[in-house]
């Protein structure tokens, strides 16, 4: 069975690949999955990484107000 940290990392990687393709809805969906798992398992570094990735996705979408919330 996959370790929670590995699963969160995999979901973050899939999200960033979707972001590179411009598929922001899929990127956000994968990040929501990653964040839920990281929060459920209290994986604080994984939560921080996932939240940062949310900021990157929102930034790429041009939604700077939402992006700023994840960077500060």
């Amino acid at each position: 069975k996959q370790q929670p940290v590995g699963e969160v990392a995999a979901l973050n990687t899939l999200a960033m690949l979707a972001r590179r393709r411009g598929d922001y809805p899929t990127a956000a969906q994968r990040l929501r999955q990653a964040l839920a798992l990281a929060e459920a398992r209290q994986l604080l570094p994984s939560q921080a990484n996932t939240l940062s990735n949310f900021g990157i996705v929102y930034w790429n979408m041009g939604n700077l107000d939402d992006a700023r919330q994840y960077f500060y």
Side-chain angles (χ1 to χ4, degrees), residues 33-70:
Q33 292 171 316
L35 186 59
L37 181 59
E39 288 176 340
R41 301 289 170 86
Q42 298 179 343
L43 303 170
L44 297 181
S46 296
Q47 289 178 45
N49 184 52
T50 302
L51 291 169
S52 177
N53 286 339
F54 263 117
I56 293 167
V57 168
Y58 283 124
W59 183 272
N60 288 152
M61 292 172 61
N63 191 339
L64 304 184
D65 289 334
D66 284 336
R68 189 174 300 121
Q69 294 178 38
Y70 291 98

Side-chain angles (χ1 to χ4, degrees), residues 13-36:
T13 298
L14 290 171
M16 293 298 95
L17 289 171
R19 177 193 60 88
R20 285 183 145 192
R21 292 191 317 267
D23 186 358
Y24 301 119
T26 297
Q29 177 186 11
R30 296 290 184 247
L31 291 172
R32 283 191 294 275
Q33 292 171 316
L35 186 59

